[in-house]
Amino acid sequence: MPEEIKESAAEKAKRLSQGLRGSLRESLLDEHTGSLREQDQLLIKFHGIYQQDDRDRRAEREEKKLDKHYTFMIRLRIPGGSIGPVHYERSQKIAGDYGTGTLKITTRQTLQVHGIIKSNLKPTIKSFNEVFLDSIAACGDVNRNVVATANPTNTIHHTEINQLANEISKQLLPKTRAYYEIWLDQEKIAEKSEEDPLYKELYLPRKFKIAIAVPPWNDVDVYANDIGLIAVEEAGKIIGYNVLAGGGLGTTHGNEKTYPRIGSMLGYVSKEDVLKFVYEIVTTQRDNGNREDRKLSRLKYTIDRMGLGNFKAEVEKRVGKSFQTEKNFQFNTRSDSYGWAQDSKGLWHFTLFVENGLIVDNDTSKIKTALMEVAQTRRAIFRFTCNQNVILSDILPKDLNLIQSILEKYKLDKIHETTSNIRKNSMACVALSTCPLALAEGQRYLPLFLDKLENLMEECAVKEEAITIRMTGCPNGCARPYMAEIGLVGTSYGHYNLHLGADFQGKRLNQKYKENLDEAGILQELKGIFNQFKIDRNSNESFGDFCLRKELVKA
Amino acid sequence: MDRDLKKEFKEIVKVASPKERIWMFGFLEAIVEEGYTDTPNPDSGKEAPAKKESEAASEAKKAIIQKQNQSSSTGNNQTANAGTKTDSSYISMATLVAPEQNKSNVAVLQKSGSESVKTATIVFGTETGNSKKLASQLQNRLKSQGLKVKVSSTNQYNPKDLDKEELLLTIISTHGDGDPPEAARKFHETLKNRKEALPNLKYSVLALGDTSYPLFCKAGEDVDVFLYRMGATRIQNIAMCDVDFEETANEWMDSVSNLLASGLPSSSTQGYGQSQNSISDAHSSNNGNGIITESSNGLAKSGQSVSSNARKFYSGTITQSIDLTDASASKIIRHIEIETEEDIDYLPGDSAGFIPKNDLKEVSAIIKGLRLSGEDSILWRKENISIQALLEEKASIRYLSKRVMDSLEAITRKKLPNKRLDLIDIVQNFPPHDSIAKETILEILEPITPRYYSISSSPEAHGKNSVHLTVAEVDFQNAQGKNQKGFCSDYLFEMTEGTAIEFRIQKNNNFRLPASDVNAIYIGPGTGIAPFRSFLFERDSLAHSGKNWLFFGNRNFSYDFLYQTELLEFFDSGVLTKFNTAFSRDNSKKVYVQDRIRENGKELVEWLDNGAILYICGSKEPMSIDVDKALVEIFMLEKNLKKAEAEIFLNNLIETERYKKDVY
């Protein structure tokens, strides 16, 4: 008797979607609701769009006999995180015309726009398309935005890995023309849905994330990705990559079967082979990943289920080559280097701190206005980092003063000097009011929490410490809280689990220290530990290492 | 003129029976009071002079109001057989000597024998369906008497037929500022401008109206005058009905019916009354006004008619008042629920009427400005009332009508701007000279007219003790350029939950649900959604099998999609079969319901061809005009018609009551 394969709802939706088309066209034409039909809400993720609603207004709107305030968030596909000034200006304009007005730099080096109502989705995508920006596969069960170390001073490597990021992205892009038909009103070319040899009918079991790091910078958090490529240099050139596989952070509260995992080292591959290895790791996951239980679908579970050795063997079989022994490497930091820096070609780059990646104007700094002015000069490239900052790049020496004057005008040129180290190493996910999964606050609250934490650190005389701290509204881990020295993972409104013990460079996960703490509770705990840290730390020992050494948590 | 009228008249009087004399007095009184000339006014086509309620109408009104005051004090709306004496219709002999008389009428009188009428046409001009209902009733009665009776709506009636008519019975209501209903506009105009005489025509008019309004029953009166001027013979004086029209209407119908039964107008026929309510008073014997009718039998019938409760004010409490729009909406629209102890007699399609109270600050300022005292009493429309109460609750003090402005100009002897000012503007900027008695200013004020809102609740779904309203905030600039809020909407908006409020029901028999298995298409943008919410709830409760298609529009999808969750539920459950929306301020391109109509033209026409009824509710201009344009366009396209043909098709839908309108 053949074993009945349970098909999850998501798998069914994908299978029946006719190349990710579903009933999107009809959903868009439904005039009575701002929502998409249910199956299309899943499919639209593959188009880089999430359906959201303003959770803050739910109760009041219901009283007013109004449906939820449905809006959409669109995430662009920007492999390696670089766009030109024209693209930036257009993106900002679209955010203003159709969205909330705010561009958000994500933790994967791309841009997000929130607050688009259904009837404005097509105009939005059409407008992006005019500057050759798209959102294909920015979400969904596909390969997501490929990130690469943003530090541009290492120019030669930077160019090369950016190119690699683009190649990987292209290679792993879905072949369906649904995006062009639905959003851009392009003609259906063939009657039958197009063939997709990589994704076939069902795409991947889950999301897939690829990062490229150039040591000693681990700004991309390479260990947290499904595939991590660590560039290997010889005589000033990149010769190949150490390949990590199986990193992934999402967990579910109370489900012991779920856990965060850092990537396992598979070995070294030459740069000529890297694309092929990447491809076959993806196909191996495609064919072996758990499609019944989405909570156990990520590559990390596939590897642990198969066993690392077997997994590696399978990949090698598909490629027709073996992994070589990994080569040495060292990571020093995950932080961005703020301020001005010049690269080997003589071009200038300015790394600007943007708290939580939110490009807004407020009383103290006018980042939105400043960046628009910079874009309008056409004299800089915009590189986004995995720390949600922006680097104004490739500035000719003769234009240095021009850009500097804009930064000065808006008091941004020295903002990193007046911002505390802990804040510069902080990250939060979006959470409320638009993320449907959020249990607690994220980006709206972390800056306020940090105000209090900075005071506390001053009290404990550890004010200048660079400690990575990350906050998420739920255990999915979109802002990589499990790799932060202080991780705050939301459990219910106003309450977080406190995680400690990760390292500064991003090679080690943290562990849960205490559960369900409110703000006072968190501050209380940290106060005690900071005081200990001040007294007991070894020289140059990081806070995370200290916590581990002191067995506040076990590795 | 060689005829010796006086002599002739005296001869007639000599031979007339007492009853006939009484009839003559009444008849002549009518001619005098109504001040008619016997030639049509050549200037009738030009700018109409300020309309003035005729004395006849105001007499009738006063009589009605007084009667109501009496009957409310006796706790009985009907005074049939009550034997109450009233001299409200006493006609002094002095007024009977007419400067001019319609000679043909007198001639008819002389010739009268038993002239019997064989055919009649009943023409009705209706807004809410009441005139139509009455026309139908009358038709049945006259048919049973052996007459050939045709019934026609004023917008279907061919004026050329007038020359061929024997008897024309007109039942017509009055709306707004003395105007005929939309469907009777052309008819009214045709009669007004017609120059040819109608010497062979007999007629009578039954006028429906509302004594709350200054120009009570004007449209009906106009028709009566126009026909008279053309030389037609009035067989029965005009009867003027207030909102509780059944009784008076029945009396008139009884009279007409009896007249026709026994031949017109013979010595054995009944008498007439000028104000018809007096007929009911004449159940008793001579009651001084000398009007007796033998149609007391008929009156007994009419006595059995049930009061329509149209005048009835319900007492309720506001149980809910919520802003239906979300934070960023540009115009607030409220959902207001009112609950009553007693059952409310209403159906989906009806409206609730409110008489708003004036702003207290404004009232104080007026009293102060006129240097009067609020406690002092004043005689206003035959009622003693304190100045405070008058200005607060009774008199309209905003956007004064031209009549009032003209009166004020006369009283204050100041040249007032040719605009409709507020009383406070007059008091502050054009104060009367000290020598002028300030009370006179107040005396000429007109009553606050009720404002009506389509009811958005359903008796079946929400129970008989509840009405729901959908009220939009109104902002505008008055004649002085001052920002003002809509009078009634502001009044309602100010009311918090728990406040007491009175309202009456205005029935709209022209805007009813279709039969249970008939499909319906609703076009209801903005507050026009109100009756359709009622319809949908009602149809759902009654499990109608007919399908429903709604076109809704407003400004922003996210902020003013009125009743969205309820409508979505109807859509999900299948009560709403199709649901199209248009939000004008969401995108750079403005989209309106008429655009959706055009996009769905094919299917819309299919629905209509398969018997669907089309409804529209909402703003008259520009919305309903634009919608009609779009409908004409889709008819042209889908039925391959020329524009004129498509327009005829549209009008035909209206005339055959397949396209119903409630636009304001």
Side-chain angles (χ1 to χ4, degrees), chain B residues 72 210 336 368 510 518 535:
Chain B
S72 56
D210 185 341
I336 300 175
K368 199 159 152 222
N510 268 358
V518 173
F535 279 22

PDB file of all heavy atoms in Angstrom, chain B residues 72 210 336 368 510 518 535:
ATOM      1  N   SER B  72     -55.798  66.657  19.041  1.00  0.00           N
ATOM      2  CA  SER B  72     -54.756  66.139  19.929  1.00  0.00           C
ATOM      3  C   SER B  72     -55.151  66.380  21.363  1.00  0.00           C
ATOM      4  O   SER B  72     -54.806  65.636  22.249  1.00  0.00           O
ATOM      5  CB  SER B  72     -53.409  66.800  19.635  1.00  0.00           C
ATOM      6  OG  SER B  72     -53.519  68.185  19.729  1.00  0.00           O
ATOM      7  N   ASP B 210     -47.794  69.212   2.978  1.00  0.00           N
ATOM      8  CA  ASP B 210     -47.309  69.115   4.355  1.00  0.00           C
ATOM      9  C   ASP B 210     -47.381  70.510   4.967  1.00  0.00           C
ATOM     10  O   ASP B 210     -46.747  71.439   4.467  1.00  0.00           O
ATOM     11  CB  ASP B 210     -45.859  68.601   4.319  1.00  0.00           C
ATOM     12  CG  ASP B 210     -45.291  68.349   5.704  1.00  0.00           C
ATOM     13  OD1 ASP B 210     -45.835  68.878   6.694  1.00  0.00           O
ATOM     14  OD2 ASP B 210     -44.279  67.641   5.792  1.00  0.00           O
ATOM     15  N   ILE B 336     -26.237  56.388  13.133  1.00  0.00           N
ATOM     16  CA  ILE B 336     -26.975  56.744  14.341  1.00  0.00           C
ATOM     17  C   ILE B 336     -28.137  55.787  14.501  1.00  0.00           C
ATOM     18  O   ILE B 336     -28.902  55.569  13.563  1.00  0.00           O
ATOM     19  CB  ILE B 336     -27.495  58.203  14.243  1.00  0.00           C
ATOM     20  CG1 ILE B 336     -26.304  59.161  14.086  1.00  0.00           C
ATOM     21  CG2 ILE B 336     -28.330  58.572  15.460  1.00  0.00           C
ATOM     22  CD1 ILE B 336     -26.693  60.606  13.853  1.00  0.00           C
ATOM     23  N   LYS B 368     -30.953  89.234  22.075  1.00  0.00           N
ATOM     24  CA  LYS B 368     -30.221  90.380  22.619  1.00  0.00           C
ATOM     25  C   LYS B 368     -30.177  91.510  21.590  1.00  0.00           C
ATOM     26  O   LYS B 368     -30.417  92.667  21.896  1.00  0.00           O
ATOM     27  CB  LYS B 368     -28.794  89.910  22.943  1.00  0.00           C
ATOM     28  CG  LYS B 368     -28.093  90.817  23.907  1.00  0.00           C
ATOM     29  CD  LYS B 368     -26.936  90.069  24.600  1.00  0.00           C
ATOM     30  CE  LYS B 368     -25.884  91.117  24.964  1.00  0.00           C
ATOM     31  NZ  LYS B 368     -24.535  90.726  24.719  1.00  0.00           N
ATOM     32  N   ASN B 510     -42.776  54.811  -3.533  1.00  0.00           N
ATOM     33  CA  ASN B 510     -42.118  54.694  -4.831  1.00  0.00           C
ATOM     34  C   ASN B 510     -40.748  54.060  -4.738  1.00  0.00           C
ATOM     35  O   ASN B 510     -40.060  53.921  -5.738  1.00  0.00           O
ATOM     36  CB  ASN B 510     -41.956  56.090  -5.450  1.00  0.00           C
ATOM     37  CG  ASN B 510     -43.118  56.427  -6.324  1.00  0.00           C
ATOM     38  OD1 ASN B 510     -44.011  55.623  -6.497  1.00  0.00           O
ATOM     39  ND2 ASN B 510     -43.111  57.627  -6.856  1.00  0.00           N
ATOM     40  N   VAL B 518     -37.449  38.766  -7.499  1.00  0.00           N
ATOM     41  CA  VAL B 518     -36.981  39.698  -8.525  1.00  0.00           C
ATOM     42  C   VAL B 518     -35.579  40.189  -8.179  1.00  0.00           C
ATOM     43  O   VAL B 518     -35.286  40.510  -7.036  1.00  0.00           O
ATOM     44  CB  VAL B 518     -37.960  40.902  -8.627  1.00  0.00           C
ATOM     45  CG1 VAL B 518     -37.419  41.968  -9.558  1.00  0.00           C
ATOM     46  CG2 VAL B 518     -39.316  40.421  -9.103  1.00  0.00           C
ATOM     47  N   PHE B 535     -32.504  47.470   2.528  1.00  0.00           N
ATOM     48  CA  PHE B 535     -32.998  46.467   1.585  1.00  0.00           C
ATOM     49  C   PHE B 535     -32.284  45.129   1.784  1.00  0.00           C
ATOM     50  O   PHE B 535     -32.904  44.065   1.819  1.00  0.00           O
ATOM     51  CB  PHE B 535     -32.760  46.922   0.130  1.00  0.00           C
ATOM     52  CG  PHE B 535     -33.780  47.902  -0.416  1.00  0.00           C
ATOM     53  CD1 PHE B 535     -34.555  48.681   0.417  1.00  0.00           C
ATOM     54  CD2 PHE B 535     -33.955  48.037  -1.788  1.00  0.00           C
ATOM     55  CE1 PHE B 535     -35.481  49.585  -0.089  1.00  0.00           C
ATOM     56  CE2 PHE B 535     -34.882  48.941  -2.320  1.00  0.00           C
ATOM     57  CZ  PHE B 535     -35.653  49.711  -1.471  1.00  0.00           C
TER      58      PHE B 535
END
